[in-house]
Amino acid sequence: MKILVLLKQVPDSDEVKLNPETGTMIREGVGTVINPLDLHALETALRIKETGDHSVTVVSMGPPAAEEAVREAIAMGADRAVLLTDRKFAGADTWATSMALARFAEKEGPFDLILAGEKATDGETGQVGPETGAMLGIPVATYVSRIVELDESGITIEREVEEGKEIWKLPLPSLVSVTKDVNEPRLPTLNGKKLARNASVERIGNDFLELDPSEIGLKGSPTRVVRIGTPKLSRKVEMYEGSSIRDGIDEIKKRLAPYLEVNHE
């Protein structure tokens, strides 16, 4: 079975800044890590790999520096790491990103199972996984918290919904996006890190994908950021400066009284 895992490199910082002109994230000078929720997708793939003759490919789209993310995936146990990197991909929104990932899956597949994290911590949209599956024309299951069964006939999953949980069975190939409840990701071993250090990370650009320039990068992104603003928190604060705690408590009770009145009629 051929398994593909979609990974994203995200900023390892709360100090995320946006370019006010393009509305895209400024990534220079910010430490990066594998998107934490994607690690659960990778762990799912690795556990499947351990059950039989299966291979795991990880793919990410980003600048050359994102190679470190896919290299870490090799340290954890992935067989192949691919980075889609090209200046033409710059500024891509979820649609253009999914377009590139789907084209890669078409050209390098067919893959029996595609796994993704629920969402990325920098965008919080949860769109790339489902969009990629839709563009490939394969079944998609989101918010998956457990893999119940997987065999040649299909994959049975448990997914979280507002009312509780649902059990679905999908034919293969399918795309599944998992939540953090599906497993606990492993840490790379020392041998894995040694292997990853010398492993080959394939870099692929649009010359290989052969997508129309109007479908990729900023040009291929229908999402437009109209305005960027920083929320301002303002609170009216009154300081009690009396010397008696009892008088201070009485003053608070007086201020809260209008909000605590109960109509007993």
Side-chain angles (χ1 to χ4, degrees):
M1 179 180 292
K2 290 181 63 176
I3 304 171
L4 178 65
V5 181
L6 310 183
L7 293 185
K8 185 179 183 182
Q9 190 181 57
V10 297
D12 184 21
S13 170
D14 292 331
E15 299 297 321
V16 175
K17 297 181 180 179
L18 296 176
N19 185 319
E21 296 182 2
T22 64
T24 56
M25 189 177 297
I26 299 174
R27 300 181 183 273
E28 291 77 10
V30 179
T32 55
V33 295
I34 294 179
N35 175 46
L37 290 167
D38 292 346
L39 289 173
H40 296 278
L42 177 57
E43 177 64 25
T44 300
L46 296 177
R47 293 188 184 189
I48 294 172
K49 175 187 173 182
E50 292 168 350
T51 64
D53 184 20
H54 310 300
S55 65
V56 175
T57 298
V58 297
V59 61
S60 182
M61 191 177 94
E67 180 178 311
E68 290 306 311
V70 291
R71 192 176 294 281
E72 184 178 344
I74 291 180
M76 293 175 66
D79 300 296
R80 181 187 177 201
V82 179
L83 177 63
L84 306 183
T85 185
D86 194 316
R87 287 187 177 273
K88 297 174 184 177
F89 297 152
D93 67 356
T94 59
W95 179 270
T97 300
S98 301
M99 182 74 70
L101 292 171
R103 178 59 63 89
F104 169 78
E106 286 178 345
K107 282 182 166 286
E108 292 293 295
F111 290 95
D112 301 290
L113 180 64
I114 302 178
L115 293 162
E118 175 189 348
K119 59 185 177 181
T121 55
D122 59 351
E124 296 281 340
T125 66
Q127 295 172 352
V128 170
E131 283 180 350
T132 301
M135 290 175 180
L136 290 168
I138 61 177
V140 173
T142 56
Y143 303 107
V144 173
S145 57
R146 186 163 68 98
I147 306 296
V148 178
E149 187 177 9
L150 175 65
D151 54 36
E152 294 180 357
S153 65
I155 182 170
T156 303
I157 55 89
E158 180 181 87
R159 66 185 301 265
E160 298 174 354
V161 295
E162 291 183 359
E163 297 79 12
K165 297 182 183 295
E166 295 177 344
I167 300 294
W168 285 19
K169 181 165 185 177
L170 292 78
L172 299 179
S174 291
L175 184 144
V176 171
S177 67
V178 300
T179 68
K180 61 182 178 60
D181 296 322
V182 73
N183 54 41
E184 186 66 32
R186 69 191 66 189
L187 294 173
T189 63
L190 179 59
N191 286 337
K193 289 184 176 181
K194 290 180 179 179
L195 177 65
R197 188 181 306 155
N198 300 315
S200 173
V201 174
E202 302 171 47
R203 294 191 180 188
I204 290 178
N206 197 47
D207 289 343
F208 175 80
L209 298 184
E210 299 179 311
L211 287 166
D212 189 279
S214 65
E215 298 178 309
I216 57 176
L218 198 58
K219 289 183 179 179
S221 301
T223 306
R224 288 291 180 268
V225 178
V226 178
R227 183 175 64 255
I228 296 175
T230 302
K232 295 181 179 179
L233 299 177
S234 59
R235 296 183 177 90
K236 184 179 179 181
V237 179
E238 295 184 28
M239 300 292 293
Y240 173 73
E241 298 179 352
S243 59
S244 169
I245 294 178
R246 173 67 62 183
D247 291 344
I249 293 174
D250 290 340
E251 183 66 22
I252 292 173
K253 289 166 64 177
K254 185 189 302 182
R255 296 295 180 93
L256 293 179
Y259 306 99
L260 300 177
E261 290 180 356
V262 177
N263 188 348
H264 296 288
E265 296 182 0

